[in-house]
Amino acid sequence: MWAWGQEGGVHRRMAQEGGRLPEVLVRVGASHCITDLAGKLQFYDHWAPNYDQDVAALQYRAPSLAVDCLTQALPPLPHTALILDVACGTGLVAAELQARGFLQLHGVDGSPKMLEQARIRGLYRQLSLCTLGQEPLPSPEGGLVCLTTRTNPSNLRYKETLEATLDRLERDGAWARLVAQPVDCWELATSTLEVVPGTCAKDGFISGIIYLYRKRG
């Protein structure tokens, strides 16, 4: 059961964002019901042309939070460090990294259309069509691997599957975990049911988590 103040926070922000936000909330909320991989990738292919504008309306903070985590976890991280952006989407993390002086960026994503948008940005040294857990990541040994995902209720099944894959990579000696950092205020919730009490519930945000690994052989 949600207090009125929590629900009101979501709707006040919707009003402030203008006419675009309700449409975005419906579109993104519908994607949360897609559980099969093929369906998810197809959704992201269709979403790619409008992705940047939509996540801006949602006040999506994952890219800046991920780069904050990266730089704080490994100070001083040289700007020549190779960073692999997993599920890179349109390249929002790369834009944050380049703004802070990091230029050795590789990106992978399972959506061809998302990769097209990332390629337009021109920030990655290498972009590859690849889905984590389905095939080996095309990146040299020793690079840093950055991943992010939501921890709202509708994403918990995906998060569990992702963490099972990450645990397997650790057991196999392919990756070494450096950080798994929970973060509040990830992006605006698509409904009050998505807000986790104890995070930024009063502001209508969902939470997320950032994973940082070092890739081995």
Side-chain angles (χ1 to χ4, degrees):
M1 182 175 179
W2 290 97
W4 179 88
Q6 294 170 343
E7 186 173 1
V10 174
H11 292 300
R12 281 196 301 274
R13 286 185 179 276
M14 286 174 60
Q16 291 168 358
E17 290 292 324
R20 182 178 180 81
L21 182 56
E23 174 189 341
V24 173
L25 293 176
V26 171
R27 178 159 49 246
V28 177
S31 76
H32 294 171
C33 301
I34 305 171
T35 57
D36 64 293
L37 177 60
K40 278 284 190 190
L41 293 178
Q42 185 178 45
F43 173 83
Y44 277 100
D45 272 343
H46 289 305
W47 193 15
N50 298 312
Y51 179 83
D52 287 2
Q53 301 96 308
D54 284 0
V55 297
L58 289 175
Q59 301 182 41
Y60 181 56
R61 301 176 65 233
S64 61
L65 292 170
V67 178
D68 286 344
C69 176
L70 180 67
T71 55
Q72 292 166 11
L74 298 168
L77 183 64
H79 287 161
T80 55
L82 172 62
I83 300 171
L84 176 62
D85 184 5
V86 178
C88 66
T90 63
L92 293 176
V93 168
E96 286 283 343
L97 285 166
Q98 190 195 56
R100 303 194 203 188
F102 298 97
L103 303 176
Q104 298 291 332
L105 311 177
H106 290 190
V108 300
D109 201 279
S111 162
K113 296 299 184 182
M114 284 287 190
L115 286 176
E116 285 181 14
Q117 297 298 318
R119 191 167 286 112
I120 290 171
R121 273 195 158 88
L123 301 180
Y124 292 98
R125 295 294 182 95
Q126 177 180 313
L127 282 168
S128 303
L129 182 65
C130 177
T131 303
L132 180 65
Q134 303 298 307
E135 55 262 328
L137 295 177
S139 179
E141 177 182 353
L144 298 173
V145 184
C146 181
L147 310 91
T148 68
T149 195
R150 296 174 285 110
T151 55
N152 56 307
S154 68
N155 198 51
L156 292 182
R157 181 178 174 184
Y158 171 79
K159 178 176 175 286
E160 291 173 0
T161 302
L162 173 63
E163 289 187 338
T165 299
L166 299 178
D167 289 345
R168 177 175 54 79
L169 288 165
E170 279 196 278
R171 288 194 305 271
D172 293 344
W175 291 10
R177 178 178 289 195
L178 302 176
V179 174
Q181 179 179 311
V183 178
D184 292 345
C185 296
W186 191 255
E187 68 181 11
L188 287 176
T190 58
S191 76
T192 55
L193 297 177
E194 292 291 338
V195 182
V196 179
T199 58
C200 289
K202 69 181 186 302
D203 295 321
F205 278 82
I206 62 172
S207 55
I209 188 167
I210 300 162
Y211 304 98
L212 183 61
Y213 287 81
R214 188 179 298 280
K215 193 173 185 294
R216 292 174 171 169

